[in-house]
Amino acid sequence: MTTTNTKAEKISFKDGKIFVPSKVIIPFIEGDGTGPDIWRATKKVLDAAIKIAYKDEKEIEWVEVLAGQKAFDSTKDWLPQDTINKVKDLKIAIKGPLTTPTGGGIRSLNVALRQIFDLYACVRPITYFEGISSPVKTPEKVNLVIFRENVEDVYSGIEFKKDSKEATKVIDLLKTFGHEVRNGSGIGIKPISEFCSKRLVRKAIQYAIKNKRPVVTLVHKGNIMKFTEGAFCEWGYEVAKNEFSDFIVTEEAISKKYNGKAPVGKIIVNDRIADNMFQQLLIRSSEYSVIATTNLNGDYLSDACAAQVGGLGIAPGANIGDEIAIFEATHGTAPKYANQDKVNPGSMILSGVMMLDYLGWDEASKLITKAFAKTVKQKRVTYDLERQMTGATLLKTSQFADTIIENMN
Ligand code: NAP
């Protein structure tokens, strides 16, 4: 079948299953600062991979939607309703980094997008590409996917300034529960719900089953925050045991029932306290493969893990809900390099790879991943990687994209 003259269609869902037309409409937010540079490179690479993998059988029709500075300049709105409507209707989007407006209004556009569309899982794969300089001795042992809860915890935005009437009221209320909080304290609230914790852990385990990952680790700080972080861990085990008993075995059961040896083919579910996890990931990184964790832990852990494999410039990410998903570069707008065709488009390109996997267009995603790895191994890279490698060839953003395409053929 050829789709050249076929009209592009929307993604749809039926009974939780995604249906992707062969010519599909996908909105993009190019982003601020260096966003347009990395978006141009990303689009080129994605389109080329789809063309090589499927000839004319599959195609993306890109439609621009506005957010950030570009939206504000033309509509006086940082996040126009039209963008929200289109993403809601078209189900997925890919975005570059956005400037966080300062001085009131929406605190962070990224946080706003996650909340508006209930994108409850922030998914960050951490993979090493041979040739990239790393601060650790064996970065190739890091091969992880982090599932970070994305809509609650201290990110829920419930904060009261010191001495405000709300903060004073909360302090007074806490007094009635027998808790003394020093007057003049700022107050932040950390809600962690059973519903949000369970759906996040469910997604992580489903991913591990689908992708044959051997371990799912619940990361929490439950020794200190028992009813939030500790409860996250308990609810996580409940999901694992009640919903996936045919697929998983807990670390506890391995030692109590199976003489310390996990039954073949079962996914091990264990948990680690967050501070311990930071050192575990440095010294025993190969023992972990999928992490499910609360919002703040996940924020810290994903950057620390990304640093182990060469930094944020090539770390991809996706914010995924039940039907809507937004794939995004994980770094910021790096405004001092804007319009210089200089920065690394790797983060956004690899987020595009995640998007292709989500669509089920695996042949195209594999082509990009292989060509990306080959390009880095050839030491044909942008300034950020070039300065860490000996004997590397310095490429511009657009040249890096062209080299990846060359390496696909
Ligand atoms: P940033 O934009 O991530 O830049 C910090 C540094 O990281 C850059 O100076 C550069 O380091 C390096 N870097 C970032 N992107 C790179 C790339 N593609 N290739 C190579 N190196 C890259 O962080 P920021 O300066 O703190 O934030 C700037 C703006 O971005 C702020 O408005 C912030 O709110 C926003 N932001 C948005 C997002 C998002 O949309 N997801 C995320 C974070 C921040 P060197 O100069 O050392 O080479």
Side-chain angles (χ1 to χ4, degrees), residues 157-223:
I158 310 170
E159 277 197 305
F160 305 117
K161 201 173 170 182
K162 79 158 188 144
D163 297 333
S164 64
K165 71 174 189 314
E166 292 87 352
T168 310
K169 228 173 173 179
V170 174
I171 290 171
D172 288 346
L173 178 69
L174 290 172
K175 247 185 220 142
T176 67
F177 296 154
H179 296 293
E180 269 305 321
V181 175
R182 198 182 297 274
N183 282 327
S185 298
I187 301 283
I189 305 282
K190 179 184 173 79
I192 302 267
S193 69
E194 179 174 1
F195 176 76
C196 289
S197 302
K198 283 190 166 174
R199 67 180 178 173
L200 186 270
V201 174
R202 190 174 295 121
K203 242 194 176 33
I205 297 177
Q206 283 165 344
Y207 175 90
I209 293 169
K210 187 166 174 225
N211 294 280
K212 301 194 173 17
R213 293 269 180 164
V215 186
V216 175
T217 304
L218 309 168
V219 178
H220 60 93
K221 190 69 190 156
N223 54 331

Side-chain angles (χ1 to χ4, degrees), residues 95 97-98 100 110 331-334 336-337 343-344 383-384 387:
K95 68 172 271 292
L98 294 172
T100 299
N110 299 302
H331 54 72
T333 59
K336 64 181 172 183
Y337 300 126
V343 295
N344 192 337
Y383 83 98
D384 52 317
R387 69 187 169 192

Side-chain angles (χ1 to χ4, degrees), residues 261-280:
K261 207 166 173 320
V264 178
K266 293 266 182 164
I267 295 166
I268 299 169
V269 175
N270 56 18
D271 76 282
R272 297 288 180 268
I273 290 176
D275 42 340
N276 174 32
M277 194 62 182
F278 277 90
Q279 60 110 10
Q280 291 277 315

Side-chain angles (χ1 to χ4, degrees), residues 32 34 38 95-102 107-110 114 312-314 328-337 342-348 382-385 387:
D32 300 322
T34 49
I38 61 171
K95 68 172 271 292
L98 294 172
T99 306
T100 299
T102 46
R107 273 186 325 144
S108 153
L109 292 172
N110 299 302
R114 289 167 200 162
L312 285 178
I314 55 162
E328 66 172 355
T330 52
H331 54 72
T333 59
K336 64 181 172 183
Y337 300 126
K342 180 182 170 92
V343 295
N344 192 337
S347 174
M348 199 167 186
T382 47
Y383 83 98
D384 52 317
L385 300 181
R387 69 187 169 192

